[in-house]
Amino acid sequence: MFFRSSSQQAFDSMKETISKLLLIAEVLSESSISGPKTFSRCSLCFQMLTFDIGFSTSIYPVVLKVHEHFDLQVGDDLNSQDQIVKQFLLEDAFKFLLPNKSSTSSFFEVLESMYKLSVNKDGNFQKEHEQCLSLAEINSMVDFVKELKNLGHFELLFPSSVPKIQNLLHDLYHMVDPMRRLGSVLTAHWLLSNLLEQFQFRNKEAHTNLVGWRNKKSSRNSSRMIMKWSKLRNSSLENESIKQRAPFNQTRGSKVLDFFSETKERRCSHDKDTLSHIRQIFTSPHVDLNPKFNPRIREYYFEVPFDMVTVKIGAEPSNCQCQVHLDEKKGPSVANYPLGLGINKISILVTDESQLTPEIVSSYIITVYREDRPSLPLFDDYMVCGFVQDCGSLIQPKEPCGLQPLSPEYFSAISQTQLKTCETGDPKGCSFLMEQRESSTLQRQWIVPCLSCSDNRTCDWRAITWQPQNCHHAILTKPELQQCVEGRKILFIGDSTNRGIMYYLIERANETLQEWQKTHDVKIYHNINEGKTFISYSYYPQFWLSVKERPTFEKALEELLQRSHPLENTDQTVLVVGGVQWLNSNHLQIIQKVLKRENLSNILVVIKSVGMGFHLPVDGIHSLSQTEVQNLWNENMVILDTAKRYGYEVVDTFILTMGRYKEFLQGKCGCHFHEVVKSKTSKESPRVTIKLSMHYALGQYFNSQSKLSQLQDYAMNSQSPYHVRGPINQVYSEILFSRICAHKRKAMGT
């Protein structure tokens, strides 16, 4: 898959294989004509080749065929996408071969620097390196520098600093050319390799005060090695010289620290060619960009492990009259980003500040993939562990954190053959502590099979499930849910977390999600459940508006009710209210007042309580301290108690999210536990259905979990254009459905 590091490794292996093939072909062809020359090589000629590459079960490729021309055809005709690719390749090829600017000055600057580094402290040129370059070698080097300055989207395969390529050259020449008859070819290779290093050194986007003595030493050694190799010193000296060269990225850690320092002096260029470029991308902690940074390359990718939830990213413009901004035209040049599970997109915009109104001249995209929890396939020997809160964020300091072995009472309770259906959305079991509220976290837990509860790396996190101690939440089948919502009007008011529940309901009832948008207004849906169910949604609060312009909760609720008329004053009308953290007990009083005024006091109201979010130090939004996050527990309990006093149903999403707060998906708030994605098409690889390796013997709850997995698999494999993914959103959505449908069953006398 694209998201895995193996894809990049396979790509690198492909480039390495092509490089080796071309080098071997060149050396062997030169060796075969090492006698009297029958023809002279055209140094300015070029040829575009097309390689057919095959991969079997490994990441190491095989060259199947080399076409001696530019060949993109996969059938009889080129499709439109192939035509576009071919056009771009040809444009870049002409720019590469026919640049409109001279590179002579750059070449002589590099040559001058090499000369200066070859002069000893007394000002004398060191005799052992004295060697005149031929005119052909100079022309070759000038052409090479010209090519380096006009790569476009081409990537340089050789010269290469990859150790395997360097070792291949060494072995190849000593195997094919033991008598050193190919001295000129060998010299050209080493000359170009070190010319590349010098060119990169001069254009390196680091500051001289950071490069330090290591790079100076590296440059001095490099210039000397050019002279040594031009005289074809013995292989041991050559090999030793290669090993001693210091890579330019040795100081990259210092550069990252220095970049985020406020006192660092910036360098920039006045060259118009650099107007749309950035000098460098910096991250903290340091990550390796894929591909390696090049101002002309606009898209990058890197992966991070599960436990890395934020990254600081910054960039600098190349041109003095430009600025860089992250994500927005007026965004910062450095920012801390939350990394949701899966794909995260970060934009770097370059703006020309010399205009009256700054204009965006280019953009760079960074794709970050954050891995899921490391999961171990389930073995026959396992134990069931439970947890409520993560040790990285203690919501209740007096309660245990992380994985814990289930108590005998808990294990015995959930192992019953028949577990009753939960009667509330926040069920409490029997209290084992002095006060029930303090122990309420212990009666509802996430449970997961592990080899050891002391090591979360031994768990099968794919099999995790939410399990109250003395009951289970019913998972409705498709016909049951469709019958439950038939003839009903379901109104949602809240933020994006409430919207996620709504879209999950639409997908479950319709089996497909035909349309989706990040609605920030009022949205009406008439086509649910074959037109038998009405759904409406109002986004609240509209935080982007000023306080004076922002509609109050009361006004937003009134508008939603008006837009949804006519409404029955029965549980055929359902109002779902909730969000991340804006909800408080005052909103419940407003609901009570508005419904009474609208003669809707008998409708079914479900309160989705607060959830985890805003707990990460992210630029541009208000972040909560650890104490403020802990205070949410008490706030949440007040909301739940107040809602029950008013006769409302509740779904406690805070306890569901606080133990899995690291499993948020993309979004600055760190509060999204769902995302709507495009469904997989028939051309893409089918999703692998997860099958548990053994049958759990823990009673009714695992049957419900099995149903939940089937629902998820069905949704992923359907022909729906969109799919709502996110297991935590799925759990509290199903709890919501069970509470809505419990009232329907009571009304029908079942």
Side-chain angles (χ1 to χ4, degrees):
M1 294 176 64
F2 170 73
F3 311 125
R4 304 299 178 188
S5 58
S6 57
S7 61
Q8 183 60 40
Q9 192 175 351
F11 186 62
D12 291 339
S13 297
M14 181 189 70
K15 292 188 292 185
E16 181 185 316
T17 299
I18 293 175
S19 300
K20 288 180 177 179
L21 175 62
L22 293 176
L23 285 172
I24 291 172
E26 180 186 35
V27 172
L28 292 179
S29 64
E30 190 74 14
S31 175
S32 65
I33 58 170
S34 57
K37 302 292 183 182
T38 57
F39 66 91
S40 59
R41 184 188 298 271
C42 175
S43 60
L44 295 180
C45 296
F46 73 96
Q47 183 175 8
M48 298 188 75
L49 304 176
T50 306
F51 291 78
D52 290 345
I53 304 294
F55 288 89
S56 56
T57 57
S58 73
I59 60 173
Y60 299 103
V62 175
V63 178
L64 303 176
K65 185 177 181 180
V66 180
H67 301 270
E68 296 182 2
H69 52 85
F70 185 48
D71 185 7
L72 269 184
Q73 287 186 265
V74 292
D76 295 333
D77 299 303
L78 289 176
N79 59 36
S80 59
Q81 185 62 38
D82 291 334
Q83 291 283 10
I84 293 172
V85 171
K86 184 173 183 179
Q87 180 181 345
F88 280 129
L89 283 172
L90 291 174
E91 286 179 1
D92 272 356
F94 279 112
K95 290 177 183 178
F96 175 76
L97 295 167
L98 304 171
N100 57 7
K101 290 189 178 181
S102 172
S103 61
T104 308
S105 59
S106 298
F107 167 71
F108 283 111
E109 287 175 3
V110 173
L111 205 61
E112 182 181 12
S113 67
M114 291 192 295
Y115 169 78
K116 289 179 179 179
L117 290 171
S118 298
V119 176
N120 61 24
K121 293 181 180 180
D122 299 326
N124 298 318
F125 192 81
Q126 307 201 20
K127 292 184 179 180
E128 65 170 314
H129 306 306
E130 188 172 354
Q131 177 74 28
C132 292
L133 298 174
S134 68
L135 182 60
E137 289 171 336
I138 292 177
N139 286 333
S140 175
M141 295 170 72
V142 171
D143 290 336
F144 180 57
V145 172
K146 177 182 67 175
E147 293 166 356
L148 288 177
K149 293 174 68 70
N150 297 278
L151 283 175
H153 289 89
F154 282 107
E155 183 173 342
L156 181 67
L157 291 185
F158 185 83
S160 171
S161 60
V162 175
K164 290 182 180 179
I165 300 297
Q166 297 284 357
N167 293 336
L168 171 68
L169 278 177
H170 179 271
D171 296 339
L172 191 60
Y173 280 108
H174 284 274
M175 177 182 68
V176 176
D177 186 31
M179 303 302 293
R180 298 189 179 280
R181 290 174 299 176
L182 303 181
S184 60
V185 179
L186 176 60
T187 301
H189 280 171
W190 293 132
L191 278 174
L192 294 182
S193 294
N194 288 275
L195 184 65
L196 173 65
E197 187 173 347
Q198 284 296 320
F199 184 83
Q200 290 175 333
F201 176 72
R202 290 192 58 82
N203 292 278
K204 193 66 179 176
E205 303 297 341
H207 303 294
T208 55
N209 63 324
L210 291 173
V211 173
W213 66 272
R214 290 180 181 176
N215 283 343
K216 291 180 181 178
K217 181 178 180 180
S218 173
S219 303
R220 185 178 297 275
N221 288 343
S222 299
S223 63
R224 291 175 180 174
M225 281 190 286
I226 290 179
M227 300 306 175
K228 286 183 181 180
W229 283 322
S230 69
K231 295 182 69 177
L232 298 178
R233 305 285 286 181
N234 61 57
S235 62
S236 61
L237 286 176
E238 292 172 359
N239 203 29
E240 188 64 22
S241 299
I242 297 172
K243 293 178 181 178
Q244 289 178 354
R245 282 187 296 167
F248 283 116
N249 62 1
Q250 286 179 345
T251 57
R252 63 187 178 186
S254 301
K255 284 184 279 185
V256 170
L257 294 176
D258 190 60
F259 175 77
F260 294 118
S261 168
E262 297 179 357
T263 60
K264 188 175 72 70
E265 181 183 355
R266 307 283 182 180
R267 292 178 58 194
C268 58
S269 168
H270 293 278
D271 189 344
K272 289 185 178 180
D273 290 343
T274 65
L275 197 65
S276 63
H277 293 166
I278 58 176
R279 286 165 43 82
Q280 187 58 286
I281 298 172
F282 295 88
T283 64
S284 179
H286 173 78
V287 297
D288 291 321
L289 294 178
N290 236 327
K292 203 170 183 179
F293 177 75
N294 183 319
R296 296 180 179 85
I297 298 176
R298 307 290 177 174
E299 295 189 11
Y300 297 90
Y301 171 79
F302 65 87
E303 297 178 2
V304 299
F306 171 78
D307 287 321
M308 185 172 167
V309 295
T310 61
V311 63
K312 179 167 281 191
I313 291 182
E316 279 187 348
S318 292
N319 195 282
C320 298
Q321 68 186 43
C322 291
Q323 294 290 337
V324 294
H325 303 277
L326 299 178
D327 284 341
E328 301 173 349
K329 191 173 181 180
K330 295 183 180 180
S333 60
V334 180
N336 205 40
Y337 277 89
L339 299 177
L341 291 179
I343 293 178
N344 301 263
K345 295 280 188 180
I346 300 170
S347 301
I348 302 177
L349 307 179
V350 182
T351 60
D352 183 356
E353 302 292 323
S354 66
Q355 309 295 325
L356 291 176
T357 302
E359 296 180 357
I360 298 175
V361 293
S362 68
S363 64
Y364 294 74
I365 300 294
I366 301 178
T367 301
V368 187
Y369 182 80
R370 181 167 157 244
E371 297 175 342
D372 289 322
R373 282 184 183 270
S375 188
L376 188 68
L378 199 62
F379 294 96
D380 290 339
D381 223 358
Y382 70 92
M383 61 190 305
V384 180
C385 310
F387 73 98
V388 178
Q389 60 179 341
D390 191 289
C391 295
S393 179
L394 292 178
I395 308 300
Q396 291 188 284
K398 295 182 180 180
E399 297 284 5
C401 67
L403 293 174
Q404 302 288 332
L406 292 186
S407 67
E409 296 87 353
Y410 204 106
F411 192 88
S412 175
I414 66 174
S415 298
Q416 295 177 24
T417 305
Q418 293 295 328
L419 271 176
K420 67 177 183 178
T421 302
C422 298
E423 297 178 354
T424 68
D426 66 334
K428 312 283 194 307
C430 298
S431 175
F432 296 109
L433 298 180
M434 294 293 292
E435 184 180 349
Q436 183 174 346
R437 178 173 294 185
E438 291 181 355
S439 65
S440 60
T441 56
L442 298 178
Q443 287 96 47
R444 295 169 290 164
Q445 299 187 52
W446 292 102
I447 61 175
V448 59
C450 306
L451 294 180
S452 170
C453 294
S454 61
D455 189 347
N456 60 18
R457 297 171 300 177
T458 68
C459 303
D460 188 349
W461 291 99
R462 303 166 302 173
I464 188 173
T465 185
W466 178 252
Q467 181 56 50
Q469 180 177 339
N470 291 322
C471 64
H472 75 98
H473 295 289
I475 305 297
L476 303 170
T477 63
K478 168 200 160 187
E480 289 172 339
L481 180 62
Q482 289 177 328
Q483 183 181 7
C484 163
V485 299
E486 183 177 337
R488 302 180 90 164
K489 290 192 172 184
I490 306 176
L491 289 59
F492 290 85
I493 183 169
D495 57 27
S496 55
T497 59
N498 224 24
R499 189 174 61 206
I501 297 176
M502 178 191 69
Y503 279 126
Y504 180 77
L505 171 60
I506 292 175
E507 185 178 9
R508 278 275 273 118
N510 282 359
E511 290 189 353
T512 65
L513 186 59
Q514 295 295 329
E515 61 174 300
W516 169 79
Q517 57 180 288
K518 291 183 178 180
T519 307
H520 287 89
D521 203 343
V522 177
K523 182 74 175 176
I524 307 295
Y525 298 89
H526 296 279
N527 59 338
I528 310 303
N529 194 17
E530 298 180 346
K532 300 172 185 176
T533 303
F534 172 95
I535 290 179
S536 60
Y537 171 77
S538 176
Y539 190 94
Y540 181 87
Q542 296 181 350
F543 54 86
W544 58 91
L545 299 176
S546 65
V547 177
K548 292 182 179 179
E549 297 176 343
R550 192 179 304 168
T552 64
F553 176 71
E554 183 173 348
K555 184 176 180 181
L557 177 58
E558 287 175 343
E559 182 184 2
L560 177 64
L561 295 174
Q562 292 296 325
R563 295 279 298 272
S564 305
H565 272 313
L567 298 172
E568 293 183 25
N569 188 23
T570 67
D571 64 3
Q572 285 293 90
T573 301
V574 182
L575 176 65
V576 182
V577 185
V580 186
Q581 287 159 18
W582 59 267
L583 186 68
N584 59 50
S585 57
N586 293 330
H587 293 101
L588 305 184
Q589 296 176 13
I590 295 172
I591 295 172
Q592 188 84 344
K593 180 177 67 174
V594 171
L595 294 182
K596 185 176 181 180
R597 187 168 65 225
E598 298 290 329
N599 194 29
L600 293 170
S601 298
N602 294 325
I603 70 170
L604 174 60
V605 179
V606 184
I607 302 299
K608 171 198 169 298
S609 70
V610 300
M612 281 296 292
F614 303 98
H615 53 278
L616 300 173
V618 176
D619 297 85
I621 64 171
H622 173 67
S623 300
L624 302 181
S625 66
Q626 182 63 32
T627 301
E628 289 173 320
V629 175
Q630 291 173 348
N631 290 338
L632 283 177
W633 174 262
N634 295 325
E635 188 75 32
N636 191 62
M637 294 303 298
V638 171
I639 292 172
L640 295 174
D641 291 344
T642 304
K644 290 175 184 176
R645 283 204 312 271
Y646 287 144
Y648 301 156
E649 284 285 350
V650 297
V651 177
D652 186 2
T653 51
F654 186 64
I655 196 170
L656 282 161
T657 57
M658 71 182 196
R660 300 180 69 177
Y661 72 93
K662 290 182 180 179
E663 297 177 55
F664 64 91
L665 298 166
Q666 188 176 18
K668 285 189 175 182
C669 65
C671 65
H672 296 141
F673 294 95
H674 80 281
E675 65 177 349
V676 181
V677 297
K678 287 186 177 180
S679 294
K680 295 182 180 296
T681 64
S682 58
K683 293 183 180 180
E684 293 179 310
S685 301
R687 178 178 180 270
V688 178
T689 302
I690 297 172
K691 295 182 179 180
L692 300 182
S693 60
M694 65 173 296
H695 183 80
Y696 291 98
L698 296 179
Q700 182 67 29
Y701 91 89
F702 102 88
N703 292 323
S704 297
Q705 175 66 11
S706 177
K707 283 186 180 180
L708 201 59
S709 298
Q710 293 171 12
L711 292 173
Q712 187 178 29
D713 292 338
Y714 180 81
M716 285 295 291
N717 292 323
S718 71
Q719 297 303 310
S720 173
Y722 299 101
H723 170 62
V724 184
R725 64 177 289 264
I728 301 174
N729 176 78
Q730 185 182 35
V731 169
Y732 55 65
S733 295
E734 292 292 342
I735 294 175
L736 173 72
F737 303 162
S738 71
R739 299 317 310 145
I740 292 175
C741 297
H743 281 258
K744 182 97 171 185
R745 289 193 295 269
K746 288 181 181 178
M748 297 175 63
T750 59

